[in-house]
Amino acid sequence: MRVLTFNIHHGRGPDGRLDLRRVAEVIRAGEADVACLQEVDRHLSPRSDFADQAGWLAADLGMDLAYGANVDFDPPAPGRPRGRYGTAILSRLPLRDNGNTFLPGAPGNERRGLLSVTVVADGRPVEVFTTHLQDTDAAERLDQARAVAALVAGRPGPVVLTGDFNAQPGTPEIRALTGFLRDAWQQAGAGAGITYPATGWRIDYVFTSPDVGVSSVTVPPSDASDHLPLLADLRLPG
């Protein structure tokens, strides 16, 4: 199963240009079976032209969609859709049992969540999660990482956890997860694996349960976002 995780920055690249087609091309070129996306708008604001970015990507790529709205605003005018911001999972594989769980956070800070789906790969259910943790408060981020660990740990089948964790390898937030999950980059990546070029940090991850193997993991080049995508080829048990 090929999994991609990508903070798409609502489709705006480092050049400042809003172009969701570039995001779609990253997913298409990567031939991802499952694409886990963060910073995805749905009718949110002028920054993304009030577009339903999640719906547009799913339709353009011919993939099933699960969406987790972590921020939800009233419509700007009667008859207009609500403005939402959050995470999305697109899948070419059969998708079922999706849900979004809010994570702990301080009042006034952006609400964060853990989006979960079950996909069926070769007849085997695989639980896939994606999240986007707090970027400005390390203590809150650690609380969120621990909440994610509590939600994910002990699942009976194969598990894949992805997202923008806003934390570098070896930090307490990442150690809260690698106590029971494996970092795909550590298994099969080569080099620094930088996913946020502005700072030279590796903050986007694919984690797997120990029963999932990793054949390869790469950071493809892209001008679609301020982050780079992370693409992993996984070997499922059985």
Side-chain angles (χ1 to χ4, degrees):
M1 185 173 76
R2 179 169 287 180
V3 174
L4 178 142
T5 187
F6 193 17
N7 181 327
I8 70 168
H9 195 226
H10 54 269
R12 193 174 298 277
D15 57 5
R17 186 162 58 91
L18 177 68
D19 186 355
L20 206 58
R21 292 171 297 181
R22 294 190 291 191
V23 174
E25 184 53 34
V26 168
I27 300 169
R28 187 177 288 112
E31 299 181 335
D33 297 308
V34 180
C36 303
L37 309 178
Q38 304 84 44
E39 293 196 19
V40 186
D41 290 355
R42 300 193 90 168
H43 310 292
L44 182 68
S45 70
R47 77 176 188 182
S48 48
D49 293 336
F50 291 98
D52 177 0
Q53 295 189 321
W56 187 90
L57 286 168
D60 186 71
L61 294 162
M63 301 174 80
D64 290 338
L65 168 67
Y67 186 76
N70 297 320
V71 177
D72 189 338
F73 293 106
D74 290 334
R80 297 279 296 275
R82 298 186 66 82
R84 295 185 168 99
Y85 169 72
T87 57
I89 297 177
L90 306 177
S91 180
R92 301 188 193 284
L93 303 171
L95 186 156
R96 67 187 194 208
D97 300 334
N98 69 83
N100 191 51
T101 303
F102 295 136
L103 300 176
N109 284 351
E110 181 183 311
R111 188 162 60 183
R112 309 288 173 147
L114 179 69
L115 178 62
S116 63
V117 302
T118 301
V119 298
V120 181
D122 294 329
R124 180 82 184 263
V126 181
E127 292 191 85
V128 179
F129 301 84
T130 199
T131 193
H132 181 198
L133 301 188
Q134 167 64 243
D135 59 333
T136 60
D137 186 326
E140 182 173 308
R141 186 167 56 244
L142 178 57
D143 286 345
Q144 292 171 349
R146 288 169 172 164
V148 169
L151 289 164
V152 173
R155 301 282 178 151
V159 165
V160 179
L161 169 64
T162 72
D164 173 3
F165 291 83
N166 275 310
Q168 297 189 72
T171 57
E173 303 95 298
I174 301 305
R175 291 201 304 270
L177 301 166
T178 53
F180 66 99
L181 296 174
R182 300 197 300 177
D183 178 355
W185 191 263
Q186 294 289 349
Q187 301 300 309
I194 292 166
T195 58
Y196 191 60
T199 55
W201 292 344
R202 180 162 81 91
I203 58 175
D204 302 87
Y205 297 82
V206 172
F207 298 108
T208 69
S209 52
D211 57 344
V212 176
V214 183
S215 299
S216 68
V217 57
T218 59
V219 179
S222 169
D223 61 357
S225 169
D226 59 346
H227 285 244
L228 293 173
L230 185 67
L231 189 65
D233 283 311
L234 307 179
R235 301 188 308 274
L236 301 177

